[in-house]
Amino acid sequence: MKTPPIVSPQEWEEARERLLVKEKELTRARDAMAAQRRRMPWMAVEKEYRFEGPNGPASLLELFEGRRQLIVYRAFYAPDITTFAEGGSYPDRACVGCSLVADQVAHPAHLNARDTALAFVSRAPQSDIEHLKARNGWELIPWYTLTDDFDADFGVDEWHGTNAFIRDGGTVFRTYFINNRGDEQMGSTWNYLDITALGRQEEWEVSPDGYPQTPPYKWWNWHDAYDDTSQSQWSSVVDRGLELQGQ
């Protein structure tokens, strides 16, 4: 292993400052890309899709759980999906890459506080999905069984991928899609929000006029300290923001 040069503390700080300039450029570029995502056109979802959940059949609209936005990750977990790793197979193991994504998922309460739901979908039956979730500690991830062409229609029939949706009443729109290496960054609250139509919904973001925004830090909370009242109040803010956008 050929290591970098060994330097003095002063030289190390100088090298770090030079790198920091480029890192800040990358941060600003990432923010600008997220701003462009918030300006992506919306595509109406006109077909009726059905899923099987832990409580029975569910529509795509029901996956929102009453929230404004929905993020859906297609995870490869089914009898015919290999794990691409040694030491396990179905039903104890899902695809190793999709499992790594699931391991990275932050507590969904923070997404919910921004009026956004998260769901995983797979071809496996619910009994096996519940087994997998319990085995790996993924109980907090809502996970549904695909029953129709949802995966083929949204670009995730041959590989994994993450779709973002928004709803206006009972009408659902597709707003963004990311797959391949783009999926490796998924899991954190911030990266999920950055692919949604409304973004993080904080005042520093460059969003279209009328988009709902609040001061950063003000809405942040411990995952077990959010309450239904604060989330319903935020839904009203979102509704009003989208009304202003349409004026």
Side-chain angles (χ1 to χ4, degrees):
M1 178 177 173
K2 186 177 180 180
T3 65
I6 308 302
V7 297
S8 68
Q10 180 180 351
E11 291 172 315
W12 188 92
E13 288 292 345
E14 291 172 351
R16 195 261 173 181
E17 289 295 330
R18 289 194 297 270
L19 188 58
L20 183 60
V21 172
K22 296 183 179 297
E23 290 175 337
K24 291 298 184 181
E25 291 174 353
L26 179 60
T27 297
R28 288 190 288 270
R30 188 173 62 241
D31 292 341
M33 180 60 67
Q36 290 185 45
R37 293 190 190 110
R38 293 191 289 278
R39 288 160 175 81
M40 274 278 293
W42 296 2
M43 184 193 80
V45 178
E46 298 177 344
K47 289 175 63 174
E48 294 289 335
Y49 295 100
R50 302 298 298 178
F51 305 84
E52 190 69 27
N55 299 316
S59 66
L60 179 60
L61 188 61
E62 288 173 317
L63 267 59
F64 282 76
E65 298 178 337
R67 298 183 173 89
R68 172 67 68 181
Q69 299 189 122
L70 170 66
I71 298 166
V72 179
Y73 177 69
R74 202 285 202 204
F76 273 81
Y77 178 59
D80 60 341
I81 301 300
T82 58
T83 66
F84 302 107
E86 298 293 332
S89 61
Y90 185 90
D92 288 337
R93 298 288 191 183
C95 162
V96 67
C98 296
S99 299
L100 183 56
V101 171
D103 276 337
Q104 296 174 159
V105 172
H107 201 293
H110 305 294
L111 283 177
N112 297 163
R114 293 280 93 175
D115 213 13
T116 303
L118 172 69
F120 277 37
V121 296
S122 295
R123 285 281 169 190
Q126 277 297 301
S127 58
D128 289 344
I129 288 175
E130 291 303 311
H131 166 78
L132 184 74
K133 290 171 62 176
R135 185 190 190 283
N136 292 281
W138 300 333
E139 290 90 344
L140 292 177
I141 300 176
W143 202 313
Y144 297 83
T145 301
L146 293 159
T147 66
D148 50 31
D149 296 330
F150 176 89
D151 49 356
D153 290 348
F154 291 100
V156 289
D157 56 326
E158 296 181 356
W159 206 232
H160 56 82
T162 305
N163 278 281
F165 301 92
I166 196 169
R167 69 179 182 90
D168 182 7
T171 304
V172 176
F173 301 89
R174 187 190 195 193
T175 61
Y176 196 68
F177 174 63
I178 191 167
N179 64 353
N180 296 327
R181 285 200 62 192
D183 265 345
E184 72 184 15
Q185 65 180 308
M186 293 296 103
S188 82
T189 300
W190 303 125
N191 284 336
Y192 275 136
L193 289 175
D194 282 346
I195 68 168
T196 65
L198 300 180
R200 304 184 186 191
Q201 304 158 52
E202 295 185 341
E203 290 176 342
W204 61 270
E205 289 181 302
V206 181
S207 293
D209 292 342
Y211 270 45
Q213 292 184 323
T214 57
Y217 299 100
K218 185 175 182 180
W219 70 272
W220 300 7
N221 213 335
W222 297 281
H223 71 259
D224 59 352
Y226 295 111
D227 57 46
D228 293 338
T229 301
S230 63
Q231 293 187 30
S232 63
Q233 288 174 342
W234 182 242
S235 296
S236 299
V237 172
V238 173
D239 290 338
R240 180 56 181 157
L242 293 178
E243 288 173 6
L244 291 171
Q245 177 197 358
Q247 292 178 357

